[in-house]
Structure formats: structure tokens, C-alpha cells
Amino acid sequence: MRFILALLLLLLTAAAAPCGNLDFTLHKLDSGRPGPTILVIGGIQGDEPGGFSAAALLVSHYKIKSGSVWVVPNLNFLSIIRCSRGVYGDMNRKFAELDPKDPEYEAVQKIKAIIRDEQVTAVLHLHDGWGYYSPTYITEWQCPLRWGQSVIIDQETAEAGRFGNLQELAERAVSAANDHLYEPLHAYHVKNTHTKTLDDETSKEMAKTLTYFAIGQGKPAFGIEGSKNLPPPMRSYYHLRVIESFLKSFGVEYERTFELGAPQVAEALQSNVAVSFFDNKVYLDLRNARERLRFIPLKKDSAVEYQPASPLLALVSADKSLKVYFGNTNVTELDPQFMEFDSSLGAVPMDIDGVRRDVAFGKVVDVRKGFAVAPGGDYRVNVIGFSRPGLADEAGVALTRADLKKEFSVDKAGTVYRVEVYKGEKFCGMILAAFAADAPRLAKTDAKLLQHLKKTGEINLGR
């Protein structure tokens, strides 16, 4: 997934329609084996990170082994970046009637066409809602008026070629999630809105939604709600529990790269906060990045081509810099240094902890003690964070972490440094040297991270 960023067009504060690189993306995870195609959608409302983060993890950390899973993790990307329910109103109320002049008209028509696609068998739509849905009143936050921790159906059954038993499938998914709760309060329930048969305000609103539109197209559709009273990684964990139950019911086989738990979900999400530029000549790992990274080499007189490691990562121009967003979070701001590029070199030899090897541009090398770029007759080296008066070429200089100024590191911990290679004044490429021995890492045990998640997940009445 490559984006081309035209700096003058991507203004986050603009009042016009969503910018080019903020269009939603469709990721087709095809197994090559027979089976249904399940469409998973997240991000229709930008302030619901549990849902759209779970969808992004399907793209980056799951392999489908039978059937297919199509994923749109960022349906309303502009609203995600602004952490807004909807910059141009609630997109999930635009599926019955919509003025062609609406700024989101084109996006709604595109997702409608995907839902209608004859290959799509069923739809899972991911959300986060406040509180904990309960069929009976228990407290203000645990009652029939709440939406969190529920699987939503519009009716008990649907007219569809397969999987029209909505109530049964929803109950099965709820049961599977409830077998793996961190607390009893987190229990899921099925919430039937009876959209077609009831004539109340809720049903009228639900008739405008994506899932009800899907049912009208003969596609079984389910809303899956996490709770906003829980921290986003735990919401994503529960989303994945429910999604996996549905996939099993649909006969879609899969495997994932991590153990399914809230701490592991948090760690998996952090593994994709990275971006590369211009065929990986520049790669930036932006986990725990500094608030601003200066003098990032970018190609002169060219649109900015970049490859995000996650479908939730986007660059947006701001004055003369580039803001990097990962979901709702502005992770850093890049100050570009535009220059001519040289493509004749793709790697350089490096001595890393006493071992010589060729390292390609765009790579991260782990360093325990020290490193040096071997001297070359036709290139020079600039290690950002190191300086020695009178030294124009830093190739051949053995460097330890103590030789580098922490304020020039990529990360706040002072462990990751840029190694830039040039031919004359032309930029060839960059390598990251990571002193990882004491780099910040997520807690290793479920207990430690769970305690952190609970602390950050206290009820917030502000949104």
C-alpha cells in the first residue's frame, strides 16, 4: 500500500472533502482455498479505536487459510485522525438517503459497492460504545440503553443464501467471548434492535446504518461493540474474540502471529508504527518517537512517496512539516530536508559488535556495544547524533551509545539513531542503529500490563 503525498493538497485543517491519501483502503486476505468471503469494517466513527485497531490487526497479523476476509480498517480516515465521531456528521447514518453534495457521498457509494460485491458473504461492522449493554437495568452504565460489549443484530433472521440465522450466530459469538473475560462486568450480550418491525426512535436511526443496508442487499450483517469504558487494547482484544468466533461459524480458517490476550494485542499494535519512504531508502520506526524529528531526507522536486506499516498510519502536511498519525494519535512531526537522491547504492558494509556484514538501506540493526560503517571510496557517512570537529566523513568511526547525543535519537529513550549515507551531496539511503538492550518494552506479564490497562480505563464522562 503506497501513498503519494502532495504537500499542498493535504491540509488537515481544510474544510473540504477528505484528502487523497485519507481515502479508506480495502485489504483482501485470500487463502486461495474455497470458502465464504467475510467483509470486516472498522473506523466509520473516528473516536472508536478498539474497533478500527482490531481491523488493522487482521490485516497485519492474521493469515487466512480457507475462504477470504476482506478488511476496511479505516473507513472514515479523516475522522479517525481528528478523533471525531464524524467530521461531516455521522457516516453510519448515511446509508438510506444521502445528498450527492455530501462530502462523504463518494466514500459511502464505494463501501456500498464493496458490500454488494457478489463475493461478499457476510459483514462484520466494528464499533466502540459507552458502558455495558445489559438486557435489564443494573446501573446507569450497565443497562439496556448502553451499547458497549454487545453484538448487534437488526432482526432475528435475514433472507440470505447463507448465514441468515443472525440470532443464533450472534449468541454463539457472545458465548465464545464470555469464555475469556478479564472481569464479569465485561460480559457480552446480543442486542436486537428490531430495526424493521419497531417504530421507535432507535429503529429509525438504525434503518440508516451500514449493517441494515447490508441486510437489504441479502448480506447477513452484525455490529460488534466494544466498551469505551475499557482501554483501547482491551476493546480490540474483545473485538478479536468475537470476530474469531464468527469466522469459525462461517467456516473460515485462520492463524495469527500472537497469543490472544489484552497485553499481546497492545504489543502487536505497537509493532506496526513505522513508515518508509521512496522504496525504503528511508525507514523510520516511530514507536516511542520524539515529538519532532528534524532534517529527514526526502526527494527534491518530487511528491512524497511513502509506505505505512499499518493501514492506520498516515502523513498529513502541516505548514512546512509532515504530521504522522497512527489512528487517533499524532505520533511525531517530521521536518523534511529536500535533496537530490542517488540510486546507485543499495547497501553498505557495517561492523556491528565486531561482526562485518552488508546492510541494506531501510533496515534496523540491533547493536549491543558498538557499530561502524566501513569506509568506502565513493560514499560518505553522517551519523545523526555524533559530531567531531573537522570530520566530514564518519565512515570507519567506531561508535558506542555513549558517543551519541541522546537529543538526536529517533526515540525518546535515546536508543535508536539514524545512519545516513551520501555520494557527494546526494542522498543514498538510511539505516537505523538500535541500541536495544534497555529499549522501552511493554510489560512482559499479563498481570503488569493488565494493571496498567485498568488504570487507564477508568470511566471518562468527557466524551
Side-chain angles (χ1 to χ4, degrees):
M1 178 176 57
R2 177 174 296 167
F3 292 108
I4 298 178
L5 177 63
L7 296 179
L8 295 179
L9 296 179
L10 287 178
L11 297 175
L12 179 61
T13 56
C19 305
N21 82 320
L22 298 183
D23 291 342
F24 71 78
T25 54
L26 172 63
H27 306 261
K28 296 183 178 182
L29 312 181
D30 296 321
S31 68
R33 295 176 57 196
T37 295
I38 309 306
L39 175 61
V40 181
I41 301 170
I44 196 170
Q45 290 150 344
D47 60 346
E48 300 181 358
F52 61 69
S53 296
L57 286 177
L58 289 176
V59 175
S60 59
H61 286 72
Y62 278 69
K63 179 181 179 180
I64 303 305
K65 302 178 70 176
S66 70
S68 300
V69 175
W70 292 4
V71 187
V72 174
N74 48 16
L75 182 55
N76 196 339
F77 216 152
L78 182 62
S79 292
I80 289 173
I81 285 175
R82 293 198 186 175
C83 195
S84 167
R85 182 174 178 86
V87 171
Y88 301 110
D90 190 342
M91 185 187 280
N92 201 32
R93 300 295 184 271
K94 298 183 179 183
F95 286 82
E97 297 179 1
L98 187 60
D99 189 331
K101 295 180 181 179
D102 189 290
E104 293 173 335
Y105 181 82
E106 183 178 349
V108 171
Q109 301 315 303
K110 284 173 62 178
I111 195 64
K112 280 184 173 182
I114 293 171
I115 293 169
R116 290 192 191 102
D117 191 297
E118 62 181 11
Q119 294 184 67
V120 172
T121 312
V123 179
L124 303 179
H125 197 197
L126 313 185
H127 295 271
D128 298 343
W130 279 116
Y132 306 90
Y133 170 72
S134 171
T136 58
Y137 184 93
I138 299 174
T139 69
E140 178 188 358
W141 288 96
Q142 193 177 8
C143 65
L145 296 178
R146 297 298 174 182
W147 293 81
Q149 303 300 93
S150 66
V151 174
I152 311 297
I153 56 175
D154 289 282
Q155 52 204 55
E156 188 171 336
T157 61
E159 294 182 8
R162 300 175 69 185
F163 312 125
N165 51 333
L166 305 183
Q167 181 81 31
E168 180 183 344
L169 291 168
E171 288 176 351
R172 195 180 303 169
V174 161
S175 177
N178 289 346
D179 285 339
H180 301 277
L181 300 176
Y182 278 96
E183 294 184 16
L185 177 64
H186 303 167
Y188 271 79
H189 298 278
V190 177
K191 183 170 186 173
N192 189 340
T193 58
H194 300 283
T195 303
K196 187 175 182 178
T197 57
L198 290 184
D199 188 25
D200 58 13
E201 198 60 37
T202 297
S203 298
K204 291 177 182 178
E205 289 297 300
M206 293 302 99
K208 306 172 186 177
T209 64
L210 183 152
T211 52
Y212 193 64
F213 168 81
I215 287 176
Q217 308 305 308
K219 306 297 174 77
F222 305 83
I224 303 174
E225 296 267 0
S227 174
K228 288 186 177 181
N229 297 66
L230 299 174
M234 189 171 285
R235 297 180 218 170
S236 297
Y237 158 74
Y238 283 126
H239 274 295
L240 292 174
R241 284 287 182 195
V242 176
I243 291 168
E244 289 189 4
S245 175
F246 274 113
L247 294 183
K248 290 176 183 176
S249 293
F250 296 146
V252 174
E253 298 177 8
Y254 60 88
E255 60 183 32
R256 59 180 131 72
T257 63
F258 58 92
E259 181 184 350
L260 190 50
Q264 291 81 4
V265 166
E267 191 167 10
L269 285 168
Q270 285 298 306
S271 69
N272 287 333
V273 188
V275 62
S276 62
F277 297 88
F278 299 104
D279 293 324
N280 219 32
K281 285 185 176 295
V282 175
Y283 172 83
L284 294 172
D285 183 340
L286 299 176
R287 289 173 291 182
N288 196 36
R290 293 190 176 278
E291 292 182 5
R292 200 174 197 101
L293 298 176
R294 301 183 182 279
F295 307 114
I296 302 298
L298 295 180
K299 189 181 291 187
K300 186 178 181 180
D301 299 325
S302 172
V304 179
E305 298 177 9
Y306 72 98
Q307 183 85 13
S310 166
L312 298 181
L313 192 145
L315 271 63
V316 178
S317 69
D319 196 8
K320 297 180 179 180
S321 65
L322 298 173
K323 289 188 175 183
V324 182
Y325 285 86
F326 183 72
N328 296 149
T329 305
N330 179 199
V331 295
T332 190
E333 193 163 349
L334 309 179
D335 290 335
Q337 184 175 18
F338 294 100
M339 58 182 63
E340 294 184 16
F341 275 34
D342 183 290
S343 299
S344 63
L345 191 65
V348 291
M350 293 183 69
D351 294 314
I352 304 165
D353 298 324
V355 177
R356 172 69 64 92
R357 61 188 178 98
D358 288 340
V359 180
F361 296 135
K363 299 296 184 181
V364 181
V365 294
D366 291 327
V367 182
R368 289 184 292 106
K369 295 181 180 179
F371 73 92
V373 179
D378 60 346
Y379 62 81
R380 65 180 179 85
V381 174
N382 181 24
V383 180
I384 309 302
F386 174 76
S387 64
R388 182 178 293 172
L391 186 64
D393 181 9
E394 294 162 3
V397 179
L399 298 173
T400 67
R401 185 174 173 183
D403 297 315
L404 302 167
K405 296 180 180 179
K406 182 177 179 179
E407 60 267 28
F408 290 94
S409 65
V410 174
D411 64 327
K412 295 174 184 176
T415 64
V416 181
Y417 293 85
R418 293 152 46 191
V419 180
E420 299 178 356
V421 179
Y422 295 83
K423 281 191 173 183
E425 296 304 313
K426 293 183 178 181
F427 176 76
C428 298
M430 177 194 297
I431 295 164
L432 294 182
F435 294 88
D438 59 349
R441 296 186 183 274
L442 289 169
K444 293 292 185 182
T445 65
D446 282 9
K448 287 183 179 179
L449 186 55
L450 184 56
Q451 183 180 18
H452 167 73
L453 292 174
K454 287 181 179 179
K455 286 182 179 178
T456 58
E458 293 176 355
I459 291 175
N460 179 353
L461 302 181
R463 181 177 290 277

